[in-house]
Amino acid sequence: MKVIIVDYNSGNISSVINSFREVAQEKVNIGVTSDLKKIKSGDKVVLPGQGSFKSCVDALYKIDGLVDTLNEFAMTNKKPLLGICVGLQMFADVGYEETETKGLGWISGKVSKIDNQNGKFKLPHIGWNQINIVKDSKIFKDIKKNSHMYFVHSYEFIPENKDVISATTDYSSNIVCSVEKENIFGTQFHPEKSDKEGLKIIGNFIKI
Amino acid sequence: MLKNRIIPCLDVKNGRVVKGINFVDLKDAGDPVEQAKIYSDGGADEICFLDITASNENRDTIYDVVKKTSKKCFVPLTVGGGVRSVEDINKLLNCGADKVSINTAAVENSKVVLDSSKKFGSQCIVVAIDAKKNGDKWEVFTHGGRNNSGIDALEYAEQMEKNGAGELLVTSMDRDGTQVGYDIDLMAKISSKVNIPVIASGGVGNLDHLVDGIKLGKASAVLAASIFHYGQYSIKEAKDYLDSKGIPVRI
């Protein structure tokens, strides 16, 4: 089996690489690439993302054919894909960070700034917060209820269809922190930085 | 509910851990990679490396330490000390740091914070403020506390938030190494001035100081070195204590 981490210059992905290699050990091949052929030949794809919604979308489009390849992988061939942080946010139709930017449109919805209630809540939402698992998701197998995960973000994904939500977290309001739609998975938090429980989520995704 | 973070800080010199009193008087005390692993296994919410003599000496050792640590620790890793440019930040991130803290360079050239937060995202840019009381205000010091910039710390904090800092790591120069507690007044003033999280640093001698930093200083996270490093308290003891005082922590 081959898991491909898409390297599209979206910022720092070394932690994602380290964590997947730690979990996979020698048993699963973890590739890191922006090569379209290699992505196509993968069994699973991880789409990380740091920085702003706009900068990540721009970075995707900068690599000729990458968005088409990801569309084919996730939408046509229905192979498992995990988006992390802005990687998840880009599933949306549109994001409002910096300026209005079109997303991948895989899960209908928008990405807007967290309501900080006039400064009552600091932004970014940085640190460990508990997740409330609201539906069975393959990536949450054996994950303890109310586990702590590590978050760093100021924007939240608001999907139109609430059925895709697999977990929420409480910060200012109930923020969507994980989604699952058929073969597409996403976490707003960083499993790669969320200690043992986070690594378990990565292991679950590898095992799907 | 978002938890308050406990961050052990390891001062690193030539790839080895040290912790000084008031930034001098260094004592050698261990391998940073192993120390970081002990802390993350013990429940540390984040690990901080401060390369204290980075401005003057060969920096390659810290890259190696970061590389090795990031393969063993799966909690956020913040690295600071001697970070001069966007290229330095890039290098540390590539080695596996999750956040980089910028001190002197942010004072000397505000473009570093602007450019790096744009390039890598605010989430990985921490501005470290070393502040010392002068009359009824605090001034920002640079170069590991050696030079007084004369800049007002509160105004500076606000400016850094505007420039794109994701967090502020505020160290009281008056308290650092004294073990008499954080400068609560300074922490509370900066914390109420900005909308980004503040990490309190400098002066922790016991667990009540951590409680005060959060409750009175309004810090989102508390950083400490000596009390953890010399085994006075474990991370778990610190968390249990905070929990018993009604402070939300990850246990």
Side-chain angles (χ1 to χ4, degrees), chain A:
Chain A
M1 208 219 340
K2 217 163 152 193
V3 177
I4 303 289
I5 298 168
V6 184
D7 180 9
Y8 62 103
N9 303 312
S10 70
N12 178 26
I13 61 167
S14 37
S15 290
V16 176
I17 300 168
N18 284 338
S19 61
F20 271 80
R21 294 215 164 124
E22 168 78 12
V23 174
Q25 296 294 341
E26 252 81 88
K27 288 167 253 160
V28 179
N29 192 330
I30 306 292
V32 182
T33 187
S34 60
D35 185 291
L36 305 184
K37 267 195 208 124
K38 284 187 187 148
I39 294 172
K40 280 178 192 163
S41 74
D43 299 296
K44 288 177 185 131
V45 155
V46 181
L47 186 62
Q50 277 195 357
S52 74
F53 187 94
K54 183 181 184 306
S55 70
C56 285
V57 170
D58 286 350
L60 277 185
Y61 279 100
K62 230 179 208 165
I63 297 169
D64 213 16
L66 180 57
V67 171
D68 289 341
T69 301
L70 292 173
N71 271 324
E72 190 188 305
F73 190 94
M75 294 283 108
T76 316
N77 298 333
K78 303 261 178 221
K79 290 205 248 181
L81 180 142
L82 173 68
I84 299 175
C85 198
V86 186
L88 149 79
Q89 293 180 0
M90 288 192 296
F91 295 170
D93 300 314
V94 62
Y96 294 99
E97 192 169 359
E98 287 183 58
T99 167
E100 189 175 320
T101 309
K102 219 174 147 238
L104 294 165
W106 293 348
I107 299 180
S108 290
K110 59 177 182 178
V111 174
S112 353
K113 194 158 195 173
I114 296 168
D115 175 15
N116 75 346
Q117 299 181 19
N118 289 320
K120 208 176 136 206
F121 289 87
K122 299 220 167 209
L123 288 182
H125 171 218
I126 297 187
W128 297 82
N129 208 331
Q130 282 167 300
I131 62 164
N132 175 28
I133 300 174
V134 294
K135 86 168 181 191
D136 269 338
S137 175
K138 286 173 189 140
I139 59 171
F140 290 148
K141 190 177 174 286
D142 296 329
I143 296 295
K144 283 184 218 125
K145 225 176 136 190
N146 297 324
S147 283
H148 287 92
M149 298 292 162
Y150 186 77
F151 289 83
V152 195
H153 64 128
S154 299
Y155 286 74
E156 58 173 325
F157 177 37
I158 304 168
E160 262 171 34
N161 181 354
K162 307 295 171 205
D163 292 345
V164 300
I165 301 169
S166 54
T168 60
T169 192
D170 182 18
Y171 194 70
S172 168
S173 65
N174 268 333
I175 289 173
V176 174
C177 72
S178 182
V179 295
E180 175 179 337
K181 186 189 171 192
E182 298 172 32
N183 56 314
I184 304 171
F185 303 83
T187 62
Q188 178 60 65
F189 54 84
H190 290 268
E192 77 277 14
K193 285 283 124 190
S194 296
D195 217 345
K196 295 175 193 83
E197 291 296 293
L199 294 185
K200 238 192 247 174
I201 290 178
I202 290 171
N204 285 339
F205 176 71
I206 291 175
K207 274 188 233 133
I208 289 169

Side-chain angles (χ1 to χ4, degrees), chain B residues 19-142:
Chain B
K19 172 63 190 174
I21 306 294
N22 280 331
F23 291 117
V24 289
D25 233 19
L26 303 177
K27 244 190 244 173
D28 194 340
D31 169 25
V33 184
E34 289 308 307
Q35 280 291 332
K37 177 77 179 140
I38 289 167
Y39 283 145
S40 79
D41 286 348
D45 297 310
E46 202 166 314
I47 308 281
C48 179
F49 282 145
L50 185 61
D51 194 8
I52 40 173
T53 51
S55 316
N56 318 322
E57 291 174 33
N58 187 347
R59 278 183 59 75
D60 289 352
T61 50
I62 192 71
Y63 295 122
D64 191 45
V65 166
V66 172
K67 240 184 226 165
K68 285 183 181 148
T69 307
S70 67
K71 287 200 170 82
K72 285 193 171 181
C73 295
F74 298 96
V75 299
L77 176 63
T78 303
V79 185
V83 177
R84 311 295 304 169
S85 63
V86 173
E87 184 44 39
D88 288 348
I89 298 166
N90 192 25
K91 236 165 136 181
L92 284 168
L93 293 175
N94 279 335
C95 287
D98 298 291
K99 309 180 197 179
V100 174
S101 93
I102 315 168
N103 190 329
T104 302
V107 175
E108 289 179 341
N109 176 11
S110 58
K111 243 179 90 64
V112 174
V113 177
L114 273 169
D115 291 350
S116 59
S117 61
K118 245 203 184 118
K119 188 162 172 160
F120 310 111
S122 288
Q123 84 288 338
C124 62
I125 303 301
V126 180
V127 170
I129 303 176
D130 288 349
K132 197 171 187 172
K133 198 151 193 189
N134 184 4
D136 56 0
K137 61 175 200 162
W138 288 266
E139 288 170 333
V140 178
F141 278 64
T142 61

